[in-house]
Amino acid sequence: MLDWIKKDHGHSDHPMRNPAEAAKLLAGMRGFDPLTALNELSAWLDAVKIIPGNDEKVRGEILSLIQEASGAHVSALLAQFLAHPKDRQATRESDWNTLNNYVMGLAAGLCASARILLKQSATTPSLQLPAAASAARGIHASRMLAKVYLLRYFSVPPKLWQLAYAVHGDAEQAGCATTPVRMHAAQKTSTTVTQELLRMLMLQSSSPEMMPPAHIEVADRVIEQLGGDFTLRPRGVADNPFCFDPASDHPPHRGPAQPPNPDTGIRYFGAGTGYDALDRLYKQLASTRIADSKAPGKDIPLHAQISAIKHLLAFWGEAPPYIPPARKSAMGNLQVVQGYGQIWQHLSQVRSTVTELTLVEDGDVAAQAPETWALHDTGGNELGADIPQRLGEWARCGDVVGVTMQGSEECWLGVIRSMHAEPDRSLHASIYVMSRHPQAVEIRPVIAQGEVNVMSEAAARQFGFKSVRAIIVSDGAGASQNANFLLPPDSWEVGRAYEATIGGAPCFLRSLQLLRHGDDFVRATFEWVQQS
């Protein structure tokens, strides 16, 4: 098929001249596997380049059909990068390259065609609507390409920002940047070129380097849903939290405390009324009124959706919720243990006489040797570390880690706060140290009076029934934070009382407020209580 579409280009039924014929051929790719489909569609993008310049409207229509045909396949490949990389390590790099190359070619083709159409619309008014739709599709594809990079913590290529700014600038000059259009005929909702640019800008402004990949995907879906409410201010108006320079290739950023000279051309933007809509969505999800809410999707766990939206509420606000501490260079190595279960085992071995053999007999996976990360810098309660390439795909924002400084036997408990990567270089992680004296303990849910159970409270205590492995981050005694602990997600319940043995003496605690829900742990506050 691909050999044929590159030949007989002058025939009226040729798919490069006849969008209806192209649509028929592209419809046949629905049953293809994603990799095969994107490789085929990449070849279509190459074939589109030979369409004569005087048929730019036709080129735009063919590109639109290619974009529409690829939607499900792109989503299927992107989904692989939301799951933990351990699940599909062998083909991860080649899959990402296929996805990246296709979306890059699509964004470039759509934006180039849109710019030509926008210029032609100056003398041919009938092209204004097709030009606006083409420009919206181009910036939409640019946002998809940006997400492909962000899911792996890569910087969005500067040329992509330059291209998106240029397309939007051309649309403003042509007078159609705010003209409602449908990107594809089957879509029921309309958009504008400005709204598509704002969606791309708000994704970058959400601090994706501080989010797990699944949260980035949730953010993108929420941005798609709320994009019509975002605000782009006229030149010279600096009353929104974020800004960008349309004449540059730099990403958007939070606006400076002192607004720049109005003549610089800097544009300010923000969530606008979308912030209130986001707050309503958060309250609906947090109260589990799923049927009444416009949830981002059932394929992503509810706790991830809630955490992602909570993050957006913080980072879309007027004031920055996080300011990195001053840092100074540091040298040495860190011994790092990843995963809640592994950290508990490591802490229990460091701070008690429990042996690895005993832990394995209890049904654990054998304790893994710590990884070696290179210490890069320190600041406040944060450590900057470079992760070797062979290990970098395993780490993600929000993961808990056990960290031992070179030359020390103490194991600290930390969480990966942010990550940044560059192709062919080490992945850089910023680790927030939650506790320098974490305690690995075994706790047991207390059977409440009247609770249906096959075992009595006395028997449960004697036989260690339903023992739960927890890590006490802080007991509140002289600490700067409320007493809180980590434990497996299925073992946490608000208001639940637990019995622990600390220092040989039994004691009781009651869980209070959920602070964070990770993939393999929850962090919650607690209070010490008397046995009832």
Side-chain angles (χ1 to χ4, degrees), residues 333-395:
N333 290 325
L334 303 175
Q335 296 299 307
V336 179
V337 180
Q338 294 190 62
Y340 179 77
Q342 289 289 324
I343 295 170
W344 192 96
Q345 291 189 58
H346 187 74
L347 286 172
S348 67
Q349 293 173 32
V350 169
R351 299 185 179 277
S352 72
T353 59
V354 178
T355 65
E356 182 178 336
L357 178 61
T358 302
L359 291 169
V360 174
E361 288 177 344
D362 285 341
D364 292 319
V365 176
Q368 299 175 0
E371 300 172 355
T372 300
W373 296 4
L375 181 63
H376 183 272
D377 55 62
T378 62
N381 279 336
E382 295 188 11
L383 306 172
D386 292 327
I387 309 174
Q389 279 188 324
R390 62 186 179 83
L391 303 174
E393 292 289 359
W394 301 74

Side-chain angles (χ1 to χ4, degrees), residues 19 34 90 127 163 207 342 344 347 422 458 497 506:
L127 291 178
L163 187 60
S207 294
Q342 289 289 324
W344 192 96
L347 286 172
E422 293 295 346

Side-chain angles (χ1 to χ4, degrees), residues 26 38 41-46 48-49 59-72 74 98-114 134-145 148 160 163 167 184:
L26 290 168
L38 294 192
L41 291 170
S42 292
W44 273 71
L45 292 175
D46 289 336
V48 168
K49 295 176 183 177
R59 193 199 316 272
E61 292 175 2
I62 302 297
L63 285 168
S64 172
L65 292 169
I66 294 172
Q67 183 182 34
E68 192 173 19
S70 68
V74 169
T98 298
L99 177 63
N100 176 54
N101 291 338
Y102 168 74
V103 182
M104 184 180 294
L106 177 66
L110 283 166
C111 288
S113 179
S134 186
R137 289 191 289 267
I139 298 181
H140 180 87
S142 298
R143 185 177 106 229
M144 182 65 69
L145 180 58
V148 169
L160 188 60
L163 187 60
V167 171
H184 304 291

Side-chain angles (χ1 to χ4, degrees), residues 457-509:
E457 172 62 17
R461 179 182 294 110
Q462 180 179 356
F463 296 106
F465 182 59
K466 290 187 176 180
S467 178
V468 175
R469 292 176 171 175
I471 300 175
I472 295 180
V473 178
S474 168
D475 63 4
S480 60
Q481 55 187 339
N482 294 330
N484 63 96
F485 64 160
L486 274 63
L487 67 168
D490 57 359
S491 300
W492 180 80
E493 181 183 348
V494 63
R496 166 66 74 177
Y498 299 87
E499 180 182 13
T501 301
I502 298 178
C507 51
F508 296 85
L509 56 93

Side-chain angles (χ1 to χ4, degrees), residues 36-293:
T36 301
L38 294 192
N39 283 324
E40 289 272 331
L41 291 170
S42 292
W44 273 71
L45 292 175
D46 289 336
V48 168
K49 295 176 183 177
I50 63 175
I51 295 177
N54 59 348
D55 287 338
E56 199 58 50
K57 185 171 179 291
V58 172
R59 193 199 316 272
E61 292 175 2
I62 302 297
L63 285 168
S64 172
L65 292 169
I66 294 172
Q67 183 182 34
E68 192 173 19
S70 68
H73 301 301
V74 169
S75 296
L77 277 184
L78 277 173
Q80 297 178 10
F81 297 92
L82 307 183
H84 198 283
K86 292 180 182 179
D87 298 337
R88 191 181 173 88
Q89 192 73 11
T91 62
R92 182 177 174 82
E93 195 66 27
S94 60
D95 289 355
W96 187 84
N97 286 332
T98 298
L99 177 63
N100 176 54
N101 291 338
Y102 168 74
V103 182
M104 184 180 294
L106 177 66
L110 283 166
C111 288
S113 179
R115 298 196 72 185
I116 294 172
L117 280 171
L118 287 167
K119 287 179 171 58
Q120 291 178 349
S121 69
T123 55
T124 310
S126 62
L127 291 178
Q128 193 171 67
L129 275 178
S134 186
R137 289 191 289 267
I139 298 181
H140 180 87
S142 298
R143 185 177 106 229
M144 182 65 69
L145 180 58
K147 185 169 70 170
V148 169
Y149 278 82
L150 295 175
L151 287 175
R152 294 192 65 187
Y153 302 115
F154 292 146
S155 297
V156 176
K159 288 185 178 179
L160 188 60
W161 294 115
Q162 186 179 45
L163 187 60
Y165 297 156
V167 171
H168 180 258
D170 289 348
E172 283 193 320
Q173 188 172 358
C176 60
T178 58
T179 300
V181 293
R182 286 191 297 171
M183 289 192 292
H184 304 291
Q187 288 185 332
K188 296 181 180 180
T189 57
S190 63
T191 185
T192 69
V193 181
T194 295
Q195 287 174 9
E196 290 305 313
L197 178 66
L198 283 168
R199 288 182 170 103
M200 184 175 174
L201 296 174
M202 289 300 293
L203 179 62
Q204 177 67 45
S205 301
S206 301
S207 294
E209 73 280 0
M210 300 180 72
M211 305 171 72
H215 292 196
I216 296 174
E217 176 63 22
V218 172
D220 187 60
R221 295 182 190 182
V222 169
I223 286 168
E224 178 69 30
Q225 183 175 316
L226 305 181
D229 297 327
F230 298 155
T231 303
L232 176 63
R233 305 300 287 149
R235 286 175 175 81
V237 180
D239 58 357
N240 270 227
F242 307 105
C243 64
F244 70 99
D245 182 358
S248 74
D249 60 2
H250 302 314
H253 56 87
R254 188 169 283 275
Q258 183 64 36
N261 189 310
D263 296 334
T264 61
I266 300 296
R267 301 291 297 273
Y268 277 73
F269 67 95
T273 57
Y275 191 88
D276 295 331
L278 181 69
D279 186 51
R280 289 193 297 271
L281 178 58
Y282 172 74
K283 291 175 180 176
Q284 290 171 347
L285 292 178
S287 64
T288 67
R289 288 159 46 196
I290 305 302
D292 300 331
S293 70

